[in-house]
Amino acid sequence: MNGFNMQYCVLVKEDVLVFEEIHAESASDIILSLFRQGFVLAPVLIEANNAENARACYQHRYEWKDVSTAFQQKKVLVC
């Protein structure tokens, strides 16, 4: 860790949320695998020190209606 926050995307399937660091070496393989399993990319970008902090930020900041509205308006929510 170089002192900077990492950027996490959020993948959703039903009530399961996966937080993936988008600049990690294996991110593209993991995200593609999740897409194949039916996950979709939520319109959310979170800066955090780790996936646990990304999840906490997401859960404290957004409600499902916020994410749904962002999908409909084709906007990205940034936390």
Side-chain angles (χ1 to χ4, degrees):
M1 182 73 183
N2 58 11
F4 296 105
N5 283 339
M6 296 176 279
Q7 293 182 326
Y8 287 84
C9 64
V10 182
L11 295 114
V12 181
K13 181 178 178 185
E14 297 173 9
D15 62 347
V16 177
L17 300 173
V18 176
F19 295 80
E20 182 60 36
E21 202 274 303
I22 60 175
H23 298 293
E25 190 173 315
S26 60
S28 60
D29 292 334
I30 292 170
I31 292 169
L32 184 58
S33 174
L34 291 168
F35 284 161
R36 288 181 180 146
Q37 295 174 52
F39 282 80
V40 295
L41 185 62
V44 178
L45 181 63
I46 299 173
E47 289 190 3
N49 292 328
N50 57 46
E52 184 177 324
N53 287 343
R55 178 178 295 278
C57 175
Y58 177 87
Q59 291 176 331
H60 287 91
R61 176 87 156 92
Y62 301 112
E63 295 181 10
W64 280 113
K65 69 177 183 156
D66 299 324
V67 176
S68 176
T69 300
F71 267 122
Q72 292 170 356
Q73 295 177 354
K74 298 180 180 163
K75 293 183 178 179
V76 175
L77 302 173
V78 179
C79 179

